[in-house]
Amino acid sequence: MAKRRAPASSSGETAPLIRAIPFLGSTPADASRLTDRQRQDVLAIATRLRLPPRLTLYHEAAPASSLFVVGEGAVKAFRDLPSGKRRVASFLFRGDVFGLAENGRYLNTAQTITHVSLYRLPIDKLTHLLKHDAELQFKVLCKVTHELRQAQRRAIVVSRRDAAGRLAMFLLMIKTHLIDDIHSDTISLPMSRSDIADYLALSLEAVSRATAELERRKLVKFEGRHLARVLDAKRLGALAAAV
Amino acid sequence: MAKRRAPASSSGETAPLIRAIPFLGSTPADASRLTDRQRQDVLAIATRLRLPPRLTLYHEAAPASSLFVVGEGAVKAFRDLPSGKRRVASFLFRGDVFGLAENGRYLNTAQTITHVSLYRLPIDKLTHLLKHDAELQFKVLCKVTHELRQAQRRAIVVSRRDAAGRLAMFLLMIKTHLIDDIHSDTISLPMSRSDIADYLALSLEAVSRATAELERRKLVKFEGRHLARVLDAKRLGALAAAV
DNA sequence: CGTCATTTTGAGGTATTTCAACGAAGGTGG
DNA sequence: CCACCTTCGTTGAAATACCTCAAAATGACG
């Protein structure tokens, strides 16, 4: 993370603005990428933001004026419950969309985890654009559908009883989500342990003990606080699947 | 529910085919209803089905060919986990859409709970229609977004530790979802206790004890297995909110 | 190199899960 | 219309796993 950030802007521009997945069925794979023209249209209404870690982008229940797309970095969307507990609804990485609202207000609070680059899309302009470009809108629909699936998966993760199993599922979710290192045995974890706890609906202590258990069982090696190395993918997968 | 079903077919046709909620922000409220023309277009590719209870509509991982919209009745979407446990992802009522797929395959199994009437929409035809009617697609987008919010809420419900609180949240979710009796103090529960258990990620026994506790505390009275009467809306709401 | 936040470790408390058995409800056939 | 049977729901008691509180240890940062 502290390594040279390279010519970030150029790589950010050429990367797919939105990474989506076929909505319903046999949509051709390439349908999930934006055309040059579409990217141009979207960029025309977008503001590029470069932000430091730990910055709150918007608060829950605040009037929603923009939708965001992650260009680079990690963001978390969460809600603080009356009890004082915090529930992380999702971690967002490159290509993810966030900022969905209900009745004109954001549902979650969004905060940057790392240094990030974002695209900020004013809702009114985006709505206009979507209503005039059905193909583009279809890609957004696919994207939102994907988020929906993620949310359903998370509900399954959280419903597990054993902390180690939940953590195993979490690690594999992050691993498959961060397409970069899909063939690597390392998983980068930009978020803190307590963020993970809030995502998994466990106490911070339980997460700590779960990481210890995964190490003790030689499934994963945690190297520092922000990197995990998979030692036994097979057994880790088995643990994750043993829901 | 056992009361006269009235001229069911006509009321089904005139009811909004899809009940959606503003996608992002200040979309006018009426934007969530289909126009006559749109309903016509959708109905043109739809097949109306009338099905008995306990019928499986499709299985998890089966090739996805259609999207469904509930006309009347209740449906559940669930997944059976390797452990033998079952997780209900959502209960679907009038106006709800289900049958979302990933890579051409359904993610959940769908089964009717009551006698239902459904609209079956072939995916290829629907895709074609959506790509040619951006306004219609926008309404679908709103609908999917709404499902996403529901899924996030469910994740919060499931993350609670106390069974009674989870049940309270569930009751209120169902109550607000079934727009019919929003001002009534009764909540109809077409699903079984074990369906509720699978939705809340509790054991059947825990649900049973939770209902007993809600009755003991005089918050709710369960009249038969499929009807709940709210006795103290204020305290029930407080319990649900005490996450 | 010192300070502060984060994470780890330990011990006891509490809620749900499991296992087992009973009771109630609904549907079928005689 | 009643008896039977199967499914569903309720209740009790012990076991498990996480939560909470407390304190030490590790790591990040200026």
Side-chain angles (χ1 to χ4, degrees), chain A residues 30-50:
Chain A
D30 58 0
S32 57
R33 292 184 83 88
L34 300 191
T35 64
D36 288 342
R37 172 61 191 280
Q38 288 172 336
R39 182 174 306 119
Q40 213 170 67
D41 290 345
V42 173
L43 285 175
I45 64 167
T47 307
R48 180 82 180 275
L49 304 174
R50 297 191 153 282

Side-chain angles (χ1 to χ4, degrees), chain A residues 23-25 81-83 87 100-102 104 107-108 123 131 134-135 137-138 148-149 152-153 155 159 241 243, chain B residues 23-25 81-83 87 100-102 104 107-108 123 131 134-135 137-138 148-149 152-154 159 241 243:
Chain A
F23 165 46
L24 336 126
L81 303 178
S83 62
R87 285 291 109 93
L100 293 187
E102 182 171 46
L107 284 134
N108 298 312
I123 285 182
K131 287 189 176 178
E135 291 285 342
Q137 188 186 164
F138 194 76
L148 173 57
R149 286 188 289 260
Q152 288 194 356
R153 287 207 176 86
S159 77
V243 185
Chain B
F23 165 46
L24 335 128
L81 304 177
S83 62
R87 285 289 111 94
L100 294 187
E102 181 171 47
L107 284 135
N108 298 312
I123 285 181
K131 288 190 175 177
E135 291 286 341
Q137 189 187 167
F138 194 74
L148 173 57
R149 287 188 289 258
Q152 288 194 356
R153 288 208 176 86
R154 174 168 170 250
S159 76
V243 185

Side-chain angles (χ1 to χ4, degrees), chain A residues 21-27 31 64 67 79 81-85 87 89-90 99-105 107-108 123 126-127 130-141 144-149 151-156 158-161 166 201 241-243, chain B residues 21-27 31 64 67 79 81-85 87 89-90 99-105 107-108 123 126-127 130-141 144-149 151-156 158-161 166 201 241-243:
Chain A
I21 283 177
F23 165 46
L24 336 126
S26 44
T27 318
L67 194 72
R79 261 147 119 166
L81 303 178
S83 62
K85 284 178 173 36
R87 285 291 109 93
S90 52
L100 293 187
E102 182 171 46
N103 301 322
R105 296 184 175 277
L107 284 134
N108 298 312
I123 285 182
L126 178 62
T127 302
L130 293 185
K131 287 189 176 178
H132 287 266
D133 184 344
E135 291 285 342
L136 173 63
Q137 188 186 164
F138 194 76
K139 287 162 190 174
V140 173
L141 178 56
V144 172
T145 304
H146 182 236
E147 295 288 332
L148 173 57
R149 286 188 289 260
Q152 288 194 356
R153 287 207 176 86
R154 172 166 171 251
I156 289 179
V158 171
S159 77
R160 286 187 75 154
R161 187 146 206 66
R166 274 192 249 191
V243 185
Chain B
I21 283 178
F23 165 46
L24 335 128
S26 46
T27 318
L67 194 72
R79 263 150 116 163
L81 304 177
S83 62
K85 285 178 173 35
R87 285 289 111 94
S90 53
L100 294 187
E102 181 171 47
N103 301 321
R105 297 187 174 274
L107 284 135
N108 298 312
I123 285 181
L126 177 63
T127 302
L130 293 184
K131 288 190 175 177
H132 287 265
D133 184 345
E135 291 286 341
L136 173 63
Q137 189 187 167
F138 194 74
K139 288 163 189 175
V140 173
L141 178 56
V144 173
T145 304
H146 182 236
E147 295 288 332
L148 173 57
R149 287 188 289 258
Q152 288 194 356
R153 288 208 176 86
R154 174 168 170 250
I156 291 180
V158 172
S159 76
R160 288 186 75 154
R161 194 152 242 341
R166 273 192 250 191
V243 185

Side-chain angles (χ1 to χ4, degrees), chain A residues 80-236:
Chain A
D80 285 313
L81 303 178
S83 62
K85 284 178 173 36
R86 173 172 291 181
R87 285 291 109 93
V88 172
S90 52
F91 293 111
L92 295 314
F93 304 102
R94 178 202 291 206
D96 287 330
V97 173
F98 65 99
L100 293 187
E102 182 171 46
N103 301 322
R105 296 184 175 277
Y106 290 117
L107 284 134
N108 298 312
T109 299
Q111 196 172 93
T112 59
I113 293 175
T114 62
H115 195 96
V116 301
S117 93
L118 299 176
Y119 298 90
R120 185 176 180 284
L121 308 172
I123 285 182
D124 46 0
K125 288 183 184 168
L126 178 62
T127 302
H128 183 81
L129 183 57
L130 293 185
K131 287 189 176 178
H132 287 266
D133 184 344
E135 291 285 342
L136 173 63
Q137 188 186 164
F138 194 76
K139 287 162 190 174
V140 173
L141 178 56
C142 292
K143 185 64 198 165
V144 172
T145 304
H146 182 236
E147 295 288 332
L148 173 57
R149 286 188 289 260
Q150 286 288 103
Q152 288 194 356
R153 287 207 176 86
R154 172 166 171 251
I156 289 179
V157 172
V158 171
S159 77
R160 286 187 75 154
R161 187 146 206 66
D162 60 318
R166 274 192 249 191
L167 182 60
M169 290 185 82
F170 172 74
L171 291 174
L172 294 182
M173 281 180 70
I174 295 290
K175 185 174 163 63
T176 60
H177 198 99
L178 289 170
I179 47 176
D180 320 294
D181 39 31
I182 208 167
H183 287 116
S184 160
D185 59 350
T186 63
I187 305 171
S188 71
L189 303 170
M191 69 293 291
S192 70
R193 290 285 187 273
S194 97
D195 283 338
I196 297 176
D198 293 339
Y199 181 85
L200 295 178
L202 289 171
S203 65
L204 170 60
E205 295 92 326
V207 171
S208 180
R209 283 185 253 264
T211 61
E213 182 177 342
L214 258 41
E215 289 212 308
R216 188 179 53 68
R217 294 214 259 166
K218 303 212 187 309
L219 301 179
V220 179
K221 174 83 187 301
F222 290 89
E223 306 180 338
R225 286 167 170 174
H226 296 295
L227 190 68
R229 182 178 301 280
V230 178
L231 299 180
D232 190 334
K234 195 169 178 179
R235 286 200 300 144
L236 182 64

Side-chain angles (χ1 to χ4, degrees), chain B residues 145-217:
Chain B
T145 304
H146 182 236
E147 295 288 332
L148 173 57
R149 287 188 289 258
Q150 287 288 101
Q152 288 194 356
R153 288 208 176 86
R154 174 168 170 250
I156 291 180
V157 171
V158 172
S159 76
R160 288 186 75 154
R161 194 152 242 341
D162 61 319
R166 273 192 250 191
L167 183 59
M169 289 186 81
F170 172 74
L171 291 174
L172 295 182
M173 280 180 71
I174 295 290
K175 184 174 164 61
T176 60
H177 198 99
L178 289 170
I179 45 176
D180 320 294
D181 38 31
I182 208 167
H183 287 115
S184 160
D185 59 350
T186 63
I187 304 171
S188 72
L189 304 169
M191 69 293 290
S192 69
R193 290 285 187 274
S194 94
D195 284 337
I196 296 177
D198 293 339
Y199 181 85
L200 295 178
L202 289 171
S203 64
L204 170 59
E205 296 91 326
V207 171
S208 181
R209 284 185 253 263
T211 60
E213 183 176 341
L214 258 43
E215 290 212 308
R216 187 179 55 68
R217 293 214 261 166

